[in-house]
Amino acid sequence: MKFLINPSKFNEIADYIFKPVLVLSILLFGLGLLFSFYLSPDDYQQGSTVRIMYVHVPSAWLALLTYAIMTFYSIVALAFRIPFGFIFNTAVAPIGAIFTLICIISGSLWGKPMWGTWWVWDARLTSVAILFIIYLIIIFINLSFENRVVREKVVAIFVIVGSVNLPIIKFSVDWWNTLHQPATISKLAKPSIDPSMMTPLIIMTFAFMMIGVAIAILRIKTEIISRKSNLS
Amino acid sequence: MKFLKKIIFFYYREYKLNMSGVQDILTNIVFFFLSIFIFIFSIGPDKETISTVGVAIVWTLLLLSSTLSLRKFYQDDFENGNLLIIHLNGFSFGFITILKTFSHFLFVQVPFLLSIPIACILLNIPNDKLLYLFTSFGIGSLTLSCLGSISSSMNLMNQRNFLLGSVIVMIFSVPIIIFSVGIINMEQNFNSLINILFGILLIVFAINPWASGLCLKLSIENN
């Protein structure tokens, strides 16, 4: 597992796994789209709009997961002086921002036919919007500092301080009375979703994950090269 | 004893600096009142509407106008080297941030605290709510000072994007705004909400020396 903290090891492994990951992501994405459009049933209340879930839920999970991994890497990088964490933060923040944006846009497209509005000031929605702004600020910090050493550590500190938002997002549906429904899939209890809808959801989640991993590999490699040549 | 003397001298120096630039603090307060006027012009002079949204307006404008002076939090001392001299005199960076936070609270936030009653008269906020506003702002302003310390120490080496500091403060002040405006609307829940505000203050107060001290150290090492 050394390739997760060592840039040169990471380069070696990434060359091996990049093409398989890309092929796998295309296959999974095609399969997931097939499942979600043709092989899964309509909801008895929501009709065909329930299919938005197969984009909305995976992107929301991955937005949270990306931030959680960034927090972990920031702590590791600051505590053990491992520069790969800083590389990871710089490379992955735009991916997380795009996932959050997909989640917000698909959610409001889903909200218009179901709730009657594009947007409500609900705890879950607001906290996800704040997550999106936090991602944007991380990107802005990356763009506006000139000194690389200071920039990376400031980003890491900001990521750690901003991670207080994660539990708020996760538990906002349990703590407050919200319009957004509580979690239907959890590890401890039996999921309250039908297997025929569960299958495309899981497939789409893995497809999104693979696409994210493929883009992340490309961006991390670019970042390593630009660090080596002292470009920024 | 020597240490206490140093702290007293530190605050004496802060006092002198702030008094020589007293027009900055006054400009902040003028900004605060001018924005209240603009809010009332845009909402319309209807008494009912103003008194319902009054507390929210006061809190929003207090936040905005206290972020205006963030640029000066560490920047002047950093550029003329005083920060390094204070550090060489036996203060750790974390302790400097605590001292600076209290100084910002005293010289920037307390004038706002004094101008709240006048704002309440302008916005038709009833007198019995003044106490709640005072307590919530007394706690919230110290939290804002801590957040300001974090964001301005992050932006010491940032030469391009000056607004980033205010944005960082505003995004972390969202929970304070939510709970402190909630205090006024839920009077029977007063104690529990005050406890939540105190909790936020303590969390931020604990993070502050660590985060801003690290940022100060980084900026001084890499300058």
Side-chain angles (χ1 to χ4, degrees):
Chain A
M1 298 307 276
K2 213 176 176 185
F3 73 98
L4 286 176
I5 47 171
N6 187 338
S8 53
K9 280 274 189 333
F10 178 84
N11 264 339
E12 283 174 20
I13 301 283
D15 288 338
Y16 278 114
I17 66 170
F18 178 64
K19 274 178 186 165
V21 163
L22 202 62
V23 172
L24 194 63
S25 71
I26 293 170
L27 281 181
L28 277 176
F29 199 61
L31 191 68
L33 284 181
L34 191 71
F35 257 98
S36 53
F37 275 111
Y38 297 107
L39 299 177
S40 70
D42 279 358
D43 192 73
Y44 80 105
Q45 271 183 331
Q46 306 193 353
S48 206
T49 46
V50 77
R51 297 178 205 282
I52 297 176
M53 178 180 77
Y54 305 130
V55 177
H56 178 74
V57 175
S59 56
W61 281 347
L62 288 177
L64 287 183
L65 182 67
T66 313
Y67 200 92
I69 298 174
M70 277 171 69
T71 313
F72 176 73
Y73 262 118
S74 310
I75 294 171
V76 168
L78 280 181
F80 302 109
R81 295 170 189 270
I82 294 169
F84 188 75
F86 301 133
I87 298 174
F88 186 86
N89 275 344
T90 316
V92 157
I95 302 174
I98 294 297
F99 275 136
T100 320
L101 192 63
I102 292 174
C103 168
I104 291 173
I105 290 177
S106 64
S108 69
L109 287 178
W110 198 5
K112 182 63 181 170
M114 288 303 111
W115 296 344
T117 55
W118 298 106
W119 185 266
V120 281
W121 288 101
D122 173 292
R124 174 58 73 85
L125 277 72
T126 315
S127 50
V128 173
I130 286 174
L131 178 71
F132 179 59
I133 297 175
I134 286 178
Y135 272 126
L136 283 187
I137 291 177
I138 293 169
I139 298 170
F140 292 158
I141 293 176
N142 268 323
L143 291 177
S144 53
F145 277 78
E146 292 188 348
N147 190 322
R148 184 172 52 81
V149 182
V150 177
R151 184 228 300 155
E152 289 168 346
K153 292 196 174 170
V154 164
V155 167
I157 294 169
F158 183 77
V159 169
I160 295 174
V161 177
S163 69
V164 291
N165 197 22
L166 285 188
I168 296 179
I169 295 177
K170 174 74 181 72
F171 296 110
S172 58
V173 283
D174 305 329
W175 289 346
W176 291 286
N177 285 323
T178 63
L179 203 53
H180 194 285
Q181 60 160 3
T184 39
I185 298 168
S186 69
K187 206 179 166 187
L188 297 176
K190 189 173 174 290
S192 54
I193 183 172
D194 194 70
S196 63
M197 287 182 176
M198 183 88 163
T199 322
L201 190 58
I202 298 294
I203 294 174
M204 283 301 268
T205 308
F206 278 106
F208 269 56
M209 205 182 273
M210 286 300 138
I211 295 172
V213 168
I215 301 172
I217 286 175
L218 283 182
R219 285 190 59 92
I220 291 172
K221 282 180 77 171
T222 323
E223 191 64 32
I224 291 172
I225 292 169
S226 81
R227 264 176 80 103
K228 271 184 186 163
S229 60
N230 266 334
L231 274 179
S232 56
Chain B
M1 204 55 217
K2 214 175 171 186
F3 196 65
L4 274 181
K5 219 174 188 176
K6 277 178 191 169
I7 294 175
I8 291 168
F9 269 118
F10 180 86
Y11 278 107
Y12 180 66
R13 174 179 156 277
E14 289 286 318
Y15 167 77
K16 281 256 178 180
L17 276 177
N18 279 297
M19 283 305 125
S20 67
V22 75
Q23 69 273 15
D24 291 343
I25 301 170
L26 291 179
T27 316
N28 273 353
I29 292 173
V30 168
F31 176 86
F32 175 62
F33 280 109
L34 206 58
S35 350
I36 288 181
F37 291 163
I38 286 173
F39 249 107
I40 294 179
F41 292 150
S42 56
I43 293 174
D46 181 29
K47 268 191 183 176
E48 292 283 310
T49 324
I50 289 175
S51 62
T52 49
V53 295
V55 177
I57 289 177
V58 169
W59 252 102
T60 316
L61 294 178
L62 285 172
L63 170 64
L64 286 182
S65 35
S66 68
T67 55
L68 276 184
S69 59
L70 274 187
R71 190 86 188 114
K72 292 184 61 191
F73 205 116
Y74 293 114
Q75 193 76 33
D76 294 346
D77 286 343
F78 176 67
E79 274 166 4
N80 59 23
N82 277 336
L83 213 54
L84 189 56
I85 292 174
I86 296 169
H87 174 61
L88 291 178
N89 270 309
F91 288 147
S92 70
F93 285 117
F95 196 67
I96 292 176
T97 60
I98 296 177
L99 291 178
K100 269 281 188 185
T101 309
F102 278 116
S103 132
H104 184 261
F105 176 70
L106 279 180
F107 294 112
V108 179
Q109 307 275 25
V110 168
F112 282 120
L113 211 60
L114 300 180
S115 64
I116 281 182
I118 309 171
C120 285
I121 297 171
L122 290 176
L123 286 167
N124 264 329
I125 298 169
N127 278 340
D128 50 335
K129 285 189 178 177
L130 194 60
L131 175 68
Y132 301 128
L133 201 56
F134 257 124
T135 33
S136 67
F137 187 68
I139 301 170
S141 59
L142 193 52
T143 321
L144 287 182
S145 294
C146 293
L147 290 176
S149 157
I150 293 176
S151 86
S152 60
S153 61
M154 273 183 184
N155 283 295
L156 277 182
M157 293 290 283
N158 180 358
Q159 305 294 343
R160 284 190 228 161
N161 197 345
F162 295 142
L163 217 58
L164 204 58
S166 312
V167 173
I168 292 176
V169 172
M170 279 159 75
I171 194 143
F172 287 132
S173 64
V174 170
I176 310 161
I177 292 284
I178 291 173
F179 289 115
S180 50
V181 175
I183 281 182
I184 284 74
N185 296 329
M186 288 188 272
E187 282 149 21
Q188 70 274 21
N189 251 343
F190 185 67
N191 280 333
S192 65
L193 283 174
I194 280 288
N195 285 344
I196 291 176
L197 269 185
F198 255 120
I200 296 173
L201 170 64
L202 290 180
I203 291 172
V204 178
F205 200 75
I207 294 174
N208 173 28
W210 174 74
S212 12
L214 191 54
C215 288
L216 284 185
K217 198 177 149 202
L218 266 179
S219 310
I220 285 180
E221 278 173 357
N222 289 289
N223 193 14

